[in-house]
């Protein structure tokens, strides 16, 4: 191991962990080791190469670990500031860690008191994955160095060949006396970073077939061909093949890698590649107006939530999706008055993570009390007064719709909407006497895909015993798309001769969205906002304050759950 110059020490703020070089500019480590990268530099050093000075690095890929639970994807890819003259690590076939007798595995980490690093000897307990994410490690003997804080991100390598089979992701604290740990095996790591799949041997699959599949997956990214990875997987393995794993596939690459690493049928790779190629060659595969599914959006996600540090303190997280993978851009707790400026800066940064040429979509994930925020009217930046909603397709969604049963129901409804070529507006009039439970029944009975409100949702946090509103039941029915005018109707009793401005808004908006498929509505509303801004009296234009709640879960893939306890806590 002393000759393995590819081992690295990672420092980020107060965190210290390990990593390993996989190309002349890329290092793999745990996401929790560099969780402070938004406010502290990431510094990479090579303990076996004293002649090389430390190199700063940037997090370019993040597996999705969020540190708030048994979270998935505790992996980060670092890009060094410049290339280094060091031979990268080499990889063993994933199953080589589980042969009998179990091979000795070596881990090089940096626990407290060992700034130069130290070795630990372990072995895999079994090939079986824990929660479809980790392999359990157990100490090789009872007297050696145990895994401890500082080993996170370290390569787990076969002692006889130095070839990597995984990465340390979790270990107990030394005070517990437990000598087990966990690693992300390379077969799981490659789910989160497709280029890693090119480096990992996949016995039983010809290199040319593997390279063809990888190339087709890259071409399919952001097109309709990548929309349903579960269906493509089933087509490839057939009715008698292994079932889709729990949680499904977060991306087409995830399905492709599962075929390469877990499916024994060598012909499954060719069948999957042929199926993707056929979809790419179909005329509608890249058409943005294809009514068979969502346009090829590249979302930038802006998540805002109450931080718990005070009513005026909000947690803001910005990330971008590329090839189905989520890339963190920034995370900060801010006073409400500073949120807009922070988002303007981070959104600009997020564009560097999108696939060149892909169509961007700004999505604000908000707590229910803030759904009426004028985010579409926020300026693009200090030097560009154009409203965000007039520069990009911009939508909002309720935080509660991004998890659990609501997300599952929404995904099913959006699959049903793929065949819809037009939108039908279900109106909820201002001052309606219809009871909320009746509205829920009507929306479910009619299979409503779009609900329009003449009045905006109530502002502020609802009391625990507050009555359920019409807006609440539309969110939880759930109706896939909701829209309203932020300023709503000024009439309270509708006794004047002015009529209801909210009802007038619904009449006008219905005329504009009639004939448009639900997947196209972000683009349709962008055009409306641009027209309002360009009018002679933009401040009073009926469409100026239109708010669109739109959240096709397939545009924002989630990842499965992972380990809560990090060795660097």
């Amino acid at each position: 191991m002393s000759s393995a110059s590819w081992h690295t020490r990672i420092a980020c703020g107060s965190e210290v962990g390990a990593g390993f070089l996989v190309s002349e500019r890329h290092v793999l480590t745990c996401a929790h080791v560099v969780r402070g990268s938004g406010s502290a530099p990431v510094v990479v050093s090579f303990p076996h190469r004293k002649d090389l000075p430390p190199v700063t690095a940037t997090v370019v890929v993040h597996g999705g670990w969020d540190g708030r639970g048994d979270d998935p994807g505790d992996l980060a890819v670092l890009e060094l500031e410049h290339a280094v003259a060091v031979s990268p690590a080499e990889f063993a076939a994933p199953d080589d860690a589980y042969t009998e007798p179990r091979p000795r595995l070596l881990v090089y980490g940096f626990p407290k008191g060992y700034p130069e690093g130290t070795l630990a000897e372990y072995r895999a307990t079994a090939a079986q994955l824990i929660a479809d994410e980790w392999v359990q490690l157990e100490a090789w003997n009872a007297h050696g160095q145990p895994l401890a804080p500082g080993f996170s991100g370290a390569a787990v390598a076969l002692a006889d060949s130095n070839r990597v089979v995984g990465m340390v992701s979790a270990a107990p604290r030394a005070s517990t006396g437990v000598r087990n740990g966990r690693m992300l095996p390379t077969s799981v790591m490659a789910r989160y970073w497709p280029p890693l799949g090119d480096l990992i041997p996949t016995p039983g699959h010809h290199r040319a077939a593997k390279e063809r599949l990888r190339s087709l997956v890259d071409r399919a990214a952001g097109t309709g061909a990548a929309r349903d990875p579960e269906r493509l997987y089933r087509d490839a393995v057939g009715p008698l093949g292994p079932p889709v794993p729990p949680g499904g596939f977060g991306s087409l690459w995830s399905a492709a890698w599962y075929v390469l690493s877990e499916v024994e049928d060598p012909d499954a790779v060719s069948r999957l590649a042929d199926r993707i190629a056929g979809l790419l060659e179909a005329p509608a595969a890249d058409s943005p107006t294809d009514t068979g599914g969502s346009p090829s959006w590249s979302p930038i996600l802006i998540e805002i939530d109450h931080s718990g540090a005070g009513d005026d303190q909000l947690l803001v997280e910005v990330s971008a999706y590329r090839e189905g993978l989520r890339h963190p851009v920034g995370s900060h707790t801010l006073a409400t008055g500073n949120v807009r400026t922070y988002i303007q800066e981070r959104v600009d940064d997020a564009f560097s993570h999108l696939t060149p040429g892909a169509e961007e979509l700004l999505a604000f994930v908000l707590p229910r009390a803030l759904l009426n925020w004028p985010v579409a009217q926020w300026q693009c930046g200090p030097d560009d007064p154009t409203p965000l909603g007039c520069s990009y397709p911009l939508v909002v969604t309720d935080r509660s719709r991004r998890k659990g049963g609501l997300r599952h129901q929404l995904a099913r409804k959006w699959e049903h909407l793929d065949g819809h070529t037009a939108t039908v507006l279900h109106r909820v009039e201002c001052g309606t006497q219809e009871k909320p439970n009746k509205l829920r029944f009507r929306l479910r009975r009619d299979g409503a895909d779009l609900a329009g409100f003449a009045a905006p949702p109530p502002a502020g946090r609802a009391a625990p015993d507050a009555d359920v509103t019409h807006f609440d039941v539309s969110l939880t029915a759930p109706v896939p798309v909701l829209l309203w005018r932020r300023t709503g109707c000024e009439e309270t009793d509708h006794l004047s001769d002015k009529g209801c401005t909210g009802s007038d808004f619904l009449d006008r908006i219905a005329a504009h969205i009639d004939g448009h498929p639900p997947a196209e509505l972000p683009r349709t509303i962008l055009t409306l906002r641009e027209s309002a801004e360009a009018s002679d009296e933009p401040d009073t234009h009926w469409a100026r304050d239109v708010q669109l709640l739109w959240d096709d879960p397939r545009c924002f893939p989630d990842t499965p759950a992972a380990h809560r306890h990090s060795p660097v806590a």
Side-chain angles (χ1 to χ4, degrees), residues 37 40 44 88 93 107 112 134 153 158 192 209 212 292 306 341 356 389-390 401 404 444 455 477 500 504 526-527 540:
S37 60
V44 179
V107 185
K112 188 175 181 179
W134 315 279
L158 297 169
Y192 300 109
R212 176 179 178 242
H306 301 287
T341 301
C390 294
R401 286 167 52 114
R444 286 179 176 262
C500 176
D504 179 64
L526 167 64
T527 302
T540 58

Side-chain angles (χ1 to χ4, degrees), residues 91-98 158 163-165 186-187 199-203:
F91 291 82
D95 290 342
D96 287 356
Y98 317 115
L158 297 169
R163 292 181 181 269
V164 177
V165 293
T186 53
S187 59
L199 307 177
I200 301 171
T202 50

Side-chain angles (χ1 to χ4, degrees), residues 133-318:
E133 186 83 0
W134 315 279
V135 164
Q136 181 169 305
L137 298 176
E138 58 186 36
W140 182 258
N141 57 57
H143 308 293
Q145 166 70 45
L147 293 179
F151 277 95
S152 290
V156 180
L158 297 169
D160 62 354
S161 68
N162 253 356
R163 292 181 181 269
V164 177
V165 293
M167 179 181 73
V168 174
S169 61
R173 295 185 179 277
S175 59
T176 66
V178 178
R179 298 176 63 83
N180 291 340
R182 286 182 178 178
M183 77 168 178
L184 280 175
T186 53
S187 59
V188 172
M189 295 168 67
R191 299 176 192 170
Y192 300 109
W193 190 44
L196 185 59
D198 297 337
L199 307 177
I200 301 171
T202 50
H205 299 296
H206 293 298
R207 183 178 182 84
K210 180 178 176 180
E211 291 177 348
R212 176 179 178 242
L213 177 59
R214 174 88 158 79
S215 174
L216 287 167
V217 170
D218 286 345
R219 285 178 55 200
T223 73
R227 188 173 59 245
D228 194 345
E230 286 81 9
R231 184 179 64 183
L232 292 174
Y233 170 80
R234 294 187 189 98
D235 291 345
V237 302
L240 301 180
V244 174
F249 300 114
S251 66
L252 179 56
W253 166 248
S254 180
W257 177 248
Y258 197 84
V259 171
L260 285 166
S261 61
E262 303 291 341
V263 178
E264 295 181 358
D265 180 2
D267 294 330
V269 171
S270 297
R271 287 195 293 268
L272 179 58
D274 291 344
R275 186 77 174 88
I276 298 171
L279 290 173
L280 288 172
E281 291 166 4
D286 290 305
S287 171
T289 58
D290 175 22
T291 58
S294 297
S296 53
W297 299 117
S298 283
I300 293 175
L301 207 62
I302 303 106
E303 299 184 85
I304 302 174
D305 199 5
H306 301 287
S307 69
D311 289 342
D312 189 49
Q313 298 294 308
L314 297 174
L315 174 62
V316 183
E317 297 177 282
V318 180

